[in-house]
Amino acid sequence: MSNETTPAVAAEAAPPATSAVPLCNMIVGLLIITQFPVMFGMISAEQTIWLLPWILCAYPMIIICVVKMFRDGAMMDATINGVLSVVLMGQNAIAAAIYLMYSSQGATVPPEVMGGMALINGMAFLAGACILLPFSYLLFKGNKVAGICVACAGIGFLSLFPTYWGIANLGLVAGIGLTILGVFLLVPAGVMLLFPPKGAQA
């Protein structure tokens, strides 16, 4: 008699799978929507200090989610969230902390510092677009809605490059593209929690 476990028995013996993807998507979507006043120019640079509490509360959970994704073998989700969520949200928190430091001393950020920040941010968002746009193509082949929404964010990132470099003001395009991604991340994540896929633990 063979000692090999049949696939059906192995599936029954294995613990139900869980995923960190819905949680991570909801957190990132929340943070994107939180930055709506920033993206559409409704507040000044100094007022972005109030992003700090939201990002600092969410940041540890994003890291935990990314680690779990890697452990679960969700390489694509983990990589994209690691680069775009952890790095970009982290730099937003540090930027807000810098504004807080200057404001607490009753000073404004020097123009040369702001100029350097703009050039660096422009290149970072250009690199982000180079990551998101090919990823959106891969998504589109399996999920057209997901592919389109991620492509909107990629176009938004791409439009931030000429905006920060002073070539053309495409901030409105960026704001619309990223808002679309934020809504897309929130809604399907909620659906995944309400209607988990087969084999997932509710």
Side-chain angles (χ1 to χ4, degrees), residues 62-152:
I62 294 176
I63 295 176
I64 292 171
C65 289
V66 169
V67 170
K68 188 175 190 313
M69 288 179 202
F70 275 118
R71 294 186 64 178
D72 292 345
M75 187 63 65
M76 186 174 294
D77 287 318
T79 302
I80 293 298
N81 278 289
V83 172
L84 299 179
S85 302
V86 176
V87 176
L88 287 177
M89 293 302 172
Q91 73 85 22
N92 281 344
I94 294 172
I98 292 172
Y99 284 122
L100 177 60
M101 180 185 68
Y102 276 98
S103 297
S104 64
Q105 297 176 355
T108 58
V109 182
E112 57 270 20
V113 174
M114 295 294 293
M117 176 273 292
L119 296 178
I120 292 169
N121 284 357
M123 294 305 298
F125 282 112
L126 177 62
C130 293
I131 296 170
L132 277 182
L133 290 174
F135 180 59
S136 68
Y137 171 74
L138 295 176
L139 276 179
F140 186 81
K141 293 194 292 185
N143 185 330
K144 288 182 171 54
V145 175
I148 291 171
C149 290
V150 173
C152 288

Side-chain angles (χ1 to χ4, degrees), residues 9-196:
V9 174
E12 290 176 1
T18 57
S19 173
V21 174
L23 174 59
C24 193
N25 285 354
M26 291 184 80
I27 293 172
V28 175
L30 170 65
L31 289 179
I32 292 175
I33 298 302
T34 301
Q35 297 181 67
F36 184 93
V38 181
M39 295 186 292
F40 288 93
M42 299 167 65
I43 62 175
S44 65
E46 289 74 16
Q47 290 172 311
T48 60
I49 291 170
W50 289 107
L51 286 175
L52 201 54
W54 293 95
I55 296 175
L56 290 181
C57 288
Y59 196 71
M61 288 305 303
I62 294 176
I63 295 176
I64 292 171
C65 289
V66 169
V67 170
K68 188 175 190 313
M69 288 179 202
F70 275 118
R71 294 186 64 178
D72 292 345
M75 187 63 65
M76 186 174 294
D77 287 318
T79 302
I80 293 298
N81 278 289
V83 172
L84 299 179
S85 302
V86 176
V87 176
L88 287 177
M89 293 302 172
Q91 73 85 22
N92 281 344
I94 294 172
I98 292 172
Y99 284 122
L100 177 60
M101 180 185 68
Y102 276 98
S103 297
S104 64
Q105 297 176 355
T108 58
V109 182
E112 57 270 20
V113 174
M114 295 294 293
M117 176 273 292
L119 296 178
I120 292 169
N121 284 357
M123 294 305 298
F125 282 112
L126 177 62
C130 293
I131 296 170
L132 277 182
L133 290 174
F135 180 59
S136 68
Y137 171 74
L138 295 176
L139 276 179
F140 186 81
K141 293 194 292 185
N143 185 330
K144 288 182 171 54
V145 175
I148 291 171
C149 290
V150 173
C152 288
I155 294 170
F157 274 27
L158 188 62
S159 66
L160 285 173
F161 170 71
T163 300
Y164 274 114
W165 276 59
I167 299 171
N169 188 359
L170 301 178
L172 180 61
V173 176
I176 293 172
L178 291 171
T179 301
I180 291 172
L181 177 63
V183 173
F184 166 74
L185 289 175
L186 283 173
V187 175
V191 173
M192 285 180 69
L193 290 176
L194 292 173
F195 306 101

